[in-house]
Amino acid sequence: MAEKIYIFDTTLRDGEQAPGYSMNLEEKIRMARQLESLGVDIIEAGFAISSPGDFESVEAIAKAVEKPVVASLARALKKDIDAAWNAVKCARHPRIHLFLATSDIHLEYKLKISREEALSRIRENVRYAKSLCDDIEFSLEDATRTDLDYMCAVVQAAIEEGATTVNLPDTVGYSTPAEISNMVSYVRKNVPCIDKARISMHCHNDLGLAVANSLAGVEAGARQVECTVCGIGERAGNAALEELVMAMKTRHDRFDYETGIVTEEITRTARLLSKTTGVKINPSKAIVGDNAFAHESGIHQHGMMANSKTYEIMTPESVGVVKTNLVLGKHSGQHAFTKKMEELGYTLTKEQADNLFKEFKKTCDRKKNITERDLIALVEAQENPEMQTWTLDSFVVNSGNRMTSTACISLTKNGEKTYQEVASGTGPVYASLRCVEKIIKHPFSLEEYQLQAVTEHRDALGEVLVKISDESGVYRGRGVSTDVIEASILACLNAVNKMISSSGPLSSAENSAQKMSFENDMLVGHTDKRSE
Ligand code: KIV
Ligand code: ZN
């Protein structure tokens, strides 16, 4: 029987650490639930000690999911381990993941400790973590630049103290597949108790080799791979989950392994990440890019028509790609609509279904053919009703090349009172956003604005993504409409509602200040004082 490769997802830790990918509590929980549906074995939910926000989200994820192991990262320090344990202990399957750098360059310049000191710190802290939790992962940060014999001594010590997984990260994305293969084989050969733990790979993508290196590790005997959705992560990112999994599935002839991943959930997971973070997926991205299954050239199309295997090594359906086809129209009833949404994987509450159906009917009046992609865009732009402080009542915009744009907008507050304002600007979006700002009486800056058509053709829905900020943080919003100005106003209101509700900062000033002081803490290294 094919051996199992455990999928350790670190989208919510290593991934979320990357600039532009931060998520708030609610978003992290939604993502964690989707990762559970995707079938990952381990969710690294965060770095509990790094900020109160991180602690809270690790704990909330630990409560929110059932099947996967939930891990929190911790430095090899008692206070980190305590925080990690306190955050994950309510999980059905908790794990503490502790790490210490082992390469000479990190020991000498960052930690300022000798190999012997590091080894005893590893023993002491793995032992302490094991006294709290059965499932312990120990990572040798910068393993790929660590002396191999020293690495074996560390791995041996960590396992003797109770580590059940030992991770050998390519922290700086420097290694090649042959080197990784050699490293894993060396550890397997020279660590007497290696069979008591699972070897894990955690490869960064600085040279574009993260997936190849992880697979080389697997071929040499690693049985856990650490990865992120779409490969997001520090600098050039981590190994992409979807690439690793589909490589093993598509090339089963070469990789005789199984994973627990429900590959049909891959596209939905990548879309959720993109929707949540507002970062578009590169169209050429393997497996989940828009072009990953597109066949434009005549020769390819001809081949595909004769036999799809000529140019397709895996089917779009196998990764859950939804085809663009006509699904519903003006005359479709709410029953057919709700059924279609269920087929697309969206289970809606009565209130959500009612609101969405109204949106759908409004869209039918403006757009003849409603495709599955349109429906997905509409459902993904839906706001949590409790967060809808401000809703759009009406708007009129005047714009032209020989005039100043003006906007007149009416917004309703809490479904009760309606407020109206007029504003001008250098363009219709500018004027509209100024109007919103005047009505809500809360200044904000526009950090980012993206507009794209959901499908082809002139009557396509326009989807707008915005990021706005005030002194408390940055907030994302999404809006969808056949009218791009309306989509812009809706996206702005979506972000505004998050801004004024208490739950939504992406990176509150308080949180960033705490992260900053934490980073300083990291810079001075692990002094004796810190390990007290
Ligand atoms: O890249 C790395 O070394 C890490 C460890 C903390 C596992 O992220
Ligand atoms: Zn990493």
Side-chain angles (χ1 to χ4, degrees), residues 172-212:
V172 290
Y174 176 74
S175 249
T176 66
E179 285 169 341
I180 296 278
S181 181
N182 181 50
M183 175 181 79
V184 174
S185 304
Y186 196 89
V187 167
R188 290 185 70 203
K189 205 160 135 212
N190 293 289
V191 175
C193 61
I194 194 67
D195 289 340
K196 295 213 174 84
R198 192 175 289 147
I199 299 177
S200 172
M201 296 310 308
H202 174 113
C203 297
H204 279 270
N205 205 29
D206 300 65
L207 295 174
L209 292 172
V211 170

mmCIF file of all heavy atoms in Angstrom, residues 172-212:
data_model
loop_
_atom_site.group_PDB
_atom_site.id
_atom_site.type_symbol
_atom_site.label_atom_id
_atom_site.label_comp_id
_atom_site.label_asym_id
_atom_site.label_seq_id
_atom_site.Cartn_x
_atom_site.Cartn_y
_atom_site.Cartn_z
ATOM 1 N N VAL A 172 16.350 29.352 4.140
ATOM 2 C CA VAL A 172 16.708 30.457 3.232
ATOM 3 C C VAL A 172 16.556 30.061 1.761
ATOM 4 O O VAL A 172 16.986 30.807 0.868
ATOM 5 C CB VAL A 172 18.141 30.971 3.528
ATOM 6 C CG1 VAL A 172 18.172 31.695 4.843
ATOM 7 C CG2 VAL A 172 19.155 29.832 3.518
ATOM 8 N N GLY A 173 15.970 28.911 1.497
ATOM 9 C CA GLY A 173 15.706 28.499 0.109
ATOM 10 C C GLY A 173 16.973 28.375 -0.715
ATOM 11 O O GLY A 173 17.022 28.784 -1.873
ATOM 12 N N TYR A 174 18.003 27.759 -0.122
ATOM 13 C CA TYR A 174 19.338 27.751 -0.717
ATOM 14 C C TYR A 174 19.701 26.407 -1.332
ATOM 15 O O TYR A 174 20.557 26.309 -2.199
ATOM 16 C CB TYR A 174 20.318 28.108 0.422
ATOM 17 C CG TYR A 174 21.768 28.077 0.093
ATOM 18 C CD1 TYR A 174 22.339 29.081 -0.676
ATOM 19 C CD2 TYR A 174 22.594 27.048 0.572
ATOM 20 C CE1 TYR A 174 23.696 29.065 -0.967
ATOM 21 C CE2 TYR A 174 23.950 27.028 0.288
ATOM 22 C CZ TYR A 174 24.493 28.037 -0.478
ATOM 23 O OH TYR A 174 25.829 28.030 -0.766
ATOM 24 N N SER A 175 19.017 25.370 -0.894
ATOM 25 C CA SER A 175 19.419 24.011 -1.272
ATOM 26 C C SER A 175 18.952 23.585 -2.658
ATOM 27 O O SER A 175 18.106 24.227 -3.273
ATOM 28 C CB SER A 175 18.833 23.035 -0.258
ATOM 29 O OG SER A 175 19.841 22.482 0.509
ATOM 30 N N THR A 176 19.506 22.455 -3.086
ATOM 31 C CA THR A 176 19.070 21.849 -4.346
ATOM 32 C C THR A 176 18.487 20.465 -4.030
ATOM 33 O O THR A 176 18.782 19.905 -2.956
ATOM 34 C CB THR A 176 20.270 21.655 -5.302
ATOM 35 O OG1 THR A 176 21.148 20.687 -4.715
ATOM 36 C CG2 THR A 176 21.017 22.968 -5.533
ATOM 37 N N PRO A 177 17.717 19.889 -4.956
ATOM 38 C CA PRO A 177 17.114 18.581 -4.661
ATOM 39 C C PRO A 177 18.136 17.505 -4.284
ATOM 40 O O PRO A 177 17.908 16.740 -3.344
ATOM 41 C CB PRO A 177 16.384 18.238 -5.971
ATOM 42 C CG PRO A 177 16.032 19.577 -6.551
ATOM 43 C CD PRO A 177 17.186 20.484 -6.207
ATOM 44 N N ALA A 178 19.279 17.480 -4.956
ATOM 45 C CA ALA A 178 20.270 16.435 -4.639
ATOM 46 C C ALA A 178 20.802 16.615 -3.217
ATOM 47 O O ALA A 178 21.014 15.639 -2.485
ATOM 48 C CB ALA A 178 21.408 16.481 -5.651
ATOM 49 N N GLU A 179 21.002 17.874 -2.826
ATOM 50 C CA GLU A 179 21.499 18.133 -1.462
ATOM 51 C C GLU A 179 20.464 17.723 -0.408
ATOM 52 O O GLU A 179 20.799 17.171 0.636
ATOM 53 C CB GLU A 179 21.833 19.621 -1.287
ATOM 54 C CG GLU A 179 23.122 20.016 -1.987
ATOM 55 C CD GLU A 179 23.319 21.531 -2.035
ATOM 56 O OE1 GLU A 179 22.344 22.283 -1.863
ATOM 57 O OE2 GLU A 179 24.457 21.958 -2.259
ATOM 58 N N ILE A 180 19.207 18.023 -0.703
ATOM 59 C CA ILE A 180 18.143 17.661 0.244
ATOM 60 C C ILE A 180 18.083 16.145 0.395
ATOM 61 O O ILE A 180 17.985 15.600 1.496
ATOM 62 C CB ILE A 180 16.767 18.199 -0.236
ATOM 63 C CG1 ILE A 180 16.753 19.732 -0.262
ATOM 64 C CG2 ILE A 180 15.616 17.622 0.591
ATOM 65 C CD1 ILE A 180 16.482 20.414 1.051
ATOM 66 N N SER A 181 18.171 15.477 -0.744
ATOM 67 C CA SER A 181 18.108 14.026 -0.736
ATOM 68 C C SER A 181 19.254 13.467 0.119
ATOM 69 O O SER A 181 19.053 12.575 0.969
ATOM 70 C CB SER A 181 18.213 13.572 -2.194
ATOM 71 O OG SER A 181 18.149 12.216 -2.273
ATOM 72 N N ASN A 182 20.430 14.028 -0.074
ATOM 73 C CA ASN A 182 21.602 13.581 0.689
ATOM 74 C C ASN A 182 21.400 13.839 2.194
ATOM 75 O O ASN A 182 21.688 12.972 3.023
ATOM 76 C CB ASN A 182 22.831 14.340 0.155
ATOM 77 C CG ASN A 182 24.079 13.919 0.887
ATOM 78 O OD1 ASN A 182 24.350 12.725 1.023
ATOM 79 N ND2 ASN A 182 24.822 14.885 1.422
ATOM 80 N N MET A 183 20.867 15.028 2.525
ATOM 81 C CA MET A 183 20.678 15.390 3.939
ATOM 82 C C MET A 183 19.718 14.402 4.634
ATOM 83 O O MET A 183 20.021 13.877 5.710
ATOM 84 C CB MET A 183 20.121 16.820 4.022
ATOM 85 C CG MET A 183 19.755 17.275 5.410
ATOM 86 S SD MET A 183 19.081 18.954 5.399
ATOM 87 C CE MET A 183 17.405 18.642 4.848
ATOM 88 N N VAL A 184 18.588 14.143 3.981
ATOM 89 C CA VAL A 184 17.592 13.257 4.604
ATOM 90 C C VAL A 184 18.158 11.831 4.734
ATOM 91 O O VAL A 184 18.034 11.190 5.787
ATOM 92 C CB VAL A 184 16.260 13.278 3.813
ATOM 93 C CG1 VAL A 184 15.266 12.263 4.366
ATOM 94 C CG2 VAL A 184 15.650 14.679 3.842
ATOM 95 N N SER A 185 18.841 11.370 3.691
ATOM 96 C CA SER A 185 19.410 10.013 3.751
ATOM 97 C C SER A 185 20.454 9.931 4.855
ATOM 98 O O SER A 185 20.530 8.937 5.593
ATOM 99 C CB SER A 185 20.081 9.644 2.418
ATOM 100 O OG SER A 185 19.160 9.787 1.395
ATOM 101 N N TYR A 186 21.258 10.984 4.998
ATOM 102 C CA TYR A 186 22.314 10.998 6.023
ATOM 103 C C TYR A 186 21.698 10.901 7.423
ATOM 104 O O TYR A 186 22.149 10.121 8.264
ATOM 105 C CB TYR A 186 23.125 12.292 5.884
ATOM 106 C CG TYR A 186 24.457 12.239 6.608
ATOM 107 C CD1 TYR A 186 25.605 11.762 5.968
ATOM 108 C CD2 TYR A 186 24.568 12.657 7.933
ATOM 109 C CE1 TYR A 186 26.823 11.702 6.638
ATOM 110 C CE2 TYR A 186 25.780 12.595 8.610
ATOM 111 C CZ TYR A 186 26.913 12.126 7.955
ATOM 112 O OH TYR A 186 28.104 12.071 8.617
ATOM 113 N N VAL A 187 20.650 11.686 7.641
ATOM 114 C CA VAL A 187 19.994 11.671 8.956
ATOM 115 C C VAL A 187 19.384 10.297 9.219
ATOM 116 O O VAL A 187 19.498 9.741 10.318
ATOM 117 C CB VAL A 187 18.933 12.803 9.031
ATOM 118 C CG1 VAL A 187 18.020 12.643 10.234
ATOM 119 C CG2 VAL A 187 19.618 14.164 9.081
ATOM 120 N N ARG A 188 18.759 9.724 8.207
ATOM 121 C CA ARG A 188 18.137 8.408 8.404
ATOM 122 C C ARG A 188 19.177 7.339 8.730
ATOM 123 O O ARG A 188 18.921 6.423 9.492
ATOM 124 C CB ARG A 188 17.345 8.009 7.160
ATOM 125 C CG ARG A 188 16.095 8.863 7.002
ATOM 126 C CD ARG A 188 15.252 8.391 5.866
ATOM 127 N NE ARG A 188 14.616 7.122 6.113
ATOM 128 C CZ ARG A 188 14.191 6.309 5.164
ATOM 129 N NH1 ARG A 188 14.341 6.639 3.895
ATOM 130 N NH2 ARG A 188 13.608 5.169 5.470
ATOM 131 N N LYS A 189 20.354 7.503 8.118
ATOM 132 C CA LYS A 189 21.396 6.497 8.319
ATOM 133 C C LYS A 189 22.135 6.673 9.654
ATOM 134 O O LYS A 189 22.551 5.709 10.279
ATOM 135 C CB LYS A 189 22.390 6.615 7.160
ATOM 136 C CG LYS A 189 23.134 5.353 6.873
ATOM 137 C CD LYS A 189 23.711 5.361 5.492
ATOM 138 C CE LYS A 189 25.162 4.856 5.604
ATOM 139 N NZ LYS A 189 26.007 5.469 4.633
ATOM 140 N N ASN A 190 22.266 7.924 10.091
ATOM 141 C CA ASN A 190 23.160 8.189 11.223
ATOM 142 C C ASN A 190 22.479 8.567 12.535
ATOM 143 O O ASN A 190 23.159 8.889 13.509
ATOM 144 C CB ASN A 190 24.157 9.287 10.821
ATOM 145 C CG ASN A 190 25.087 8.799 9.736
ATOM 146 O OD1 ASN A 190 25.953 7.967 9.976
ATOM 147 N ND2 ASN A 190 24.866 9.272 8.513
ATOM 148 N N VAL A 191 21.156 8.579 12.554
ATOM 149 C CA VAL A 191 20.470 8.841 13.829
ATOM 150 C C VAL A 191 19.838 7.519 14.268
ATOM 151 O O VAL A 191 18.861 7.057 13.668
ATOM 152 C CB VAL A 191 19.395 9.947 13.664
ATOM 153 C CG1 VAL A 191 18.607 10.128 14.959
ATOM 154 C CG2 VAL A 191 20.039 11.261 13.247
ATOM 155 N N PRO A 192 20.396 6.891 15.302
ATOM 156 C CA PRO A 192 19.913 5.546 15.663
ATOM 157 C C PRO A 192 18.411 5.475 15.947
ATOM 158 O O PRO A 192 17.763 4.513 15.569
ATOM 159 C CB PRO A 192 20.729 5.205 16.916
ATOM 160 C CG PRO A 192 21.934 6.092 16.848
ATOM 161 C CD PRO A 192 21.544 7.329 16.093
ATOM 162 N N CYS A 193 17.840 6.539 16.594
ATOM 163 C CA CYS A 193 16.416 6.413 16.959
ATOM 164 C C CYS A 193 15.488 7.096 15.947
ATOM 165 O O CYS A 193 14.348 7.423 16.271
ATOM 166 C CB CYS A 193 16.185 6.991 18.350
ATOM 167 S SG CYS A 193 16.597 8.730 18.464
ATOM 168 N N ILE A 194 15.949 7.278 14.723
ATOM 169 C CA ILE A 194 15.165 8.058 13.753
ATOM 170 C C ILE A 194 13.779 7.464 13.492
ATOM 171 O O ILE A 194 12.823 8.190 13.171
ATOM 172 C CB ILE A 194 15.960 8.262 12.432
ATOM 173 C CG1 ILE A 194 15.311 9.349 11.563
ATOM 174 C CG2 ILE A 194 16.113 6.972 11.631
ATOM 175 C CD1 ILE A 194 15.367 10.720 12.129
ATOM 176 N N ASP A 195 13.654 6.141 13.657
ATOM 177 C CA ASP A 195 12.351 5.522 13.374
ATOM 178 C C ASP A 195 11.273 5.917 14.372
ATOM 179 O O ASP A 195 10.085 5.679 14.147
ATOM 180 C CB ASP A 195 12.477 3.994 13.336
ATOM 181 C CG ASP A 195 13.244 3.563 12.102
ATOM 182 O OD1 ASP A 195 13.314 4.381 11.151
ATOM 183 O OD2 ASP A 195 13.785 2.443 12.100
ATOM 184 N N LYS A 196 11.684 6.563 15.473
ATOM 185 C CA LYS A 196 10.690 6.966 16.482
ATOM 186 C C LYS A 196 10.026 8.293 16.115
ATOM 187 O O LYS A 196 9.137 8.770 16.828
ATOM 188 C CB LYS A 196 11.371 7.123 17.840
ATOM 189 C CG LYS A 196 11.924 5.832 18.401
ATOM 190 C CD LYS A 196 11.811 5.859 19.930
ATOM 191 C CE LYS A 196 12.203 4.551 20.561
ATOM 192 N NZ LYS A 196 13.649 4.417 20.768
ATOM 193 N N ALA A 197 10.482 8.941 15.057
ATOM 194 C CA ALA A 197 9.889 10.242 14.682
ATOM 195 C C ALA A 197 9.682 10.294 13.177
ATOM 196 O O ALA A 197 10.241 9.497 12.422
ATOM 197 C CB ALA A 197 10.799 11.377 15.116
ATOM 198 N N ARG A 198 8.843 11.254 12.774
ATOM 199 C CA ARG A 198 8.590 11.476 11.350
ATOM 200 C C ARG A 198 9.487 12.623 10.883
ATOM 201 O O ARG A 198 9.586 13.645 11.568
ATOM 202 C CB ARG A 198 7.120 11.863 11.202
ATOM 203 C CG ARG A 198 6.602 11.855 9.815
ATOM 204 C CD ARG A 198 5.099 12.141 9.833
ATOM 205 N NE ARG A 198 4.330 11.032 10.364
ATOM 206 C CZ ARG A 198 3.203 11.176 11.062
ATOM 207 N NH1 ARG A 198 2.714 12.380 11.325
ATOM 208 N NH2 ARG A 198 2.559 10.127 11.503
ATOM 209 N N ILE A 199 10.125 12.441 9.745
ATOM 210 C CA ILE A 199 10.962 13.540 9.210
ATOM 211 C C ILE A 199 10.076 14.455 8.368
ATOM 212 O O ILE A 199 9.232 13.990 7.595
ATOM 213 C CB ILE A 199 12.120 12.994 8.348
ATOM 214 C CG1 ILE A 199 13.032 12.085 9.191
ATOM 215 C CG2 ILE A 199 12.930 14.132 7.714
ATOM 216 C CD1 ILE A 199 14.169 11.443 8.415
ATOM 217 N N SER A 200 10.287 15.760 8.547
ATOM 218 C CA SER A 200 9.472 16.729 7.816
ATOM 219 C C SER A 200 10.358 17.641 6.978
ATOM 220 O O SER A 200 11.497 17.939 7.349
ATOM 221 C CB SER A 200 8.686 17.565 8.841
ATOM 222 O OG SER A 200 8.023 18.625 8.207
ATOM 223 N N MET A 201 9.814 18.105 5.839
ATOM 224 C CA MET A 201 10.517 19.092 4.999
ATOM 225 C C MET A 201 9.759 20.413 5.061
ATOM 226 O O MET A 201 8.529 20.423 5.068
ATOM 227 C CB MET A 201 10.551 18.646 3.527
ATOM 228 C CG MET A 201 11.333 17.382 3.252
ATOM 229 S SD MET A 201 12.977 17.369 3.950
ATOM 230 C CE MET A 201 13.662 18.908 3.365
ATOM 231 N N HIS A 202 10.530 21.498 5.068
ATOM 232 C CA HIS A 202 9.913 22.836 5.105
ATOM 233 C C HIS A 202 10.813 23.691 4.216
ATOM 234 O O HIS A 202 11.851 24.181 4.661
ATOM 235 C CB HIS A 202 9.893 23.329 6.561
ATOM 236 C CG HIS A 202 9.410 24.733 6.741
ATOM 237 N ND1 HIS A 202 8.230 25.048 7.386
ATOM 238 C CD2 HIS A 202 9.946 25.925 6.388
ATOM 239 C CE1 HIS A 202 8.070 26.356 7.428
ATOM 240 N NE2 HIS A 202 9.097 26.923 6.832
ATOM 241 N N CYS A 203 10.439 23.820 2.946
ATOM 242 C CA CYS A 203 11.360 24.456 1.999
ATOM 243 C C CYS A 203 10.850 25.817 1.553
ATOM 244 O O CYS A 203 9.694 25.955 1.134
ATOM 245 C CB CYS A 203 11.541 23.559 0.783
ATOM 246 S SG CYS A 203 12.285 21.981 1.238
ATOM 247 N N HIS A 204 11.742 26.794 1.596
ATOM 248 C CA HIS A 204 11.410 28.126 1.069
ATOM 249 C C HIS A 204 11.821 28.207 -0.389
ATOM 250 O O HIS A 204 12.621 27.414 -0.888
ATOM 251 C CB HIS A 204 12.041 29.208 1.951
ATOM 252 C CG HIS A 204 11.212 29.457 3.180
ATOM 253 N ND1 HIS A 204 10.213 30.400 3.206
ATOM 254 C CD2 HIS A 204 11.194 28.830 4.385
ATOM 255 C CE1 HIS A 204 9.625 30.364 4.404
ATOM 256 N NE2 HIS A 204 10.206 29.413 5.136
ATOM 257 N N ASN A 205 11.257 29.212 -1.073
ATOM 258 C CA ASN A 205 11.297 29.195 -2.532
ATOM 259 C C ASN A 205 12.224 30.241 -3.149
ATOM 260 O O ASN A 205 12.007 30.658 -4.280
ATOM 261 C CB ASN A 205 9.854 29.406 -3.044
ATOM 262 C CG ASN A 205 9.646 28.840 -4.405
ATOM 263 O OD1 ASN A 205 10.318 27.866 -4.787
ATOM 264 N ND2 ASN A 205 8.759 29.455 -5.172
ATOM 265 N N ASP A 206 13.248 30.650 -2.416
ATOM 266 C CA ASP A 206 14.093 31.756 -2.901
ATOM 267 C C ASP A 206 14.712 31.469 -4.263
ATOM 268 O O ASP A 206 14.937 32.400 -5.054
ATOM 269 C CB ASP A 206 15.168 32.069 -1.857
ATOM 270 C CG ASP A 206 14.524 32.485 -0.547
ATOM 271 O OD1 ASP A 206 13.834 31.650 0.082
ATOM 272 O OD2 ASP A 206 14.659 33.645 -0.164
ATOM 273 N N LEU A 207 15.016 30.222 -4.550
ATOM 274 C CA LEU A 207 15.569 29.888 -5.869
ATOM 275 C C LEU A 207 14.531 29.141 -6.720
ATOM 276 O O LEU A 207 14.874 28.520 -7.723
ATOM 277 C CB LEU A 207 16.834 29.034 -5.714
ATOM 278 C CG LEU A 207 18.019 29.744 -5.044
ATOM 279 C CD1 LEU A 207 19.172 28.778 -4.803
ATOM 280 C CD2 LEU A 207 18.508 30.915 -5.907
ATOM 281 N N GLY A 208 13.287 29.223 -6.324
ATOM 282 C CA GLY A 208 12.219 28.570 -7.096
ATOM 283 C C GLY A 208 12.263 27.055 -6.985
ATOM 284 O O GLY A 208 11.731 26.343 -7.841
ATOM 285 N N LEU A 209 12.913 26.522 -5.932
ATOM 286 C CA LEU A 209 13.093 25.070 -5.838
ATOM 287 C C LEU A 209 12.313 24.430 -4.691
ATOM 288 O O LEU A 209 12.518 23.252 -4.378
ATOM 289 C CB LEU A 209 14.592 24.757 -5.657
ATOM 290 C CG LEU A 209 15.480 25.073 -6.867
ATOM 291 C CD1 LEU A 209 16.955 24.922 -6.512
ATOM 292 C CD2 LEU A 209 15.130 24.154 -8.041
ATOM 293 N N ALA A 210 11.418 25.196 -4.064
ATOM 294 C CA ALA A 210 10.769 24.692 -2.845
ATOM 295 C C ALA A 210 10.018 23.378 -3.078
ATOM 296 O O ALA A 210 10.127 22.446 -2.268
ATOM 297 C CB ALA A 210 9.826 25.749 -2.279
ATOM 298 N N VAL A 211 9.255 23.302 -4.160
ATOM 299 C CA VAL A 211 8.473 22.080 -4.396
ATOM 300 C C VAL A 211 9.409 20.931 -4.771
ATOM 301 O O VAL A 211 9.304 19.823 -4.223
ATOM 302 C CB VAL A 211 7.398 22.327 -5.480
ATOM 303 C CG1 VAL A 211 6.741 21.021 -5.904
ATOM 304 C CG2 VAL A 211 6.338 23.296 -4.951
ATOM 305 N N ALA A 212 10.357 21.212 -5.660
ATOM 306 C CA ALA A 212 11.298 20.158 -6.080
ATOM 307 C C ALA A 212 12.087 19.651 -4.869
ATOM 308 O O ALA A 212 12.286 18.438 -4.702
ATOM 309 C CB ALA A 212 12.244 20.703 -7.146
#
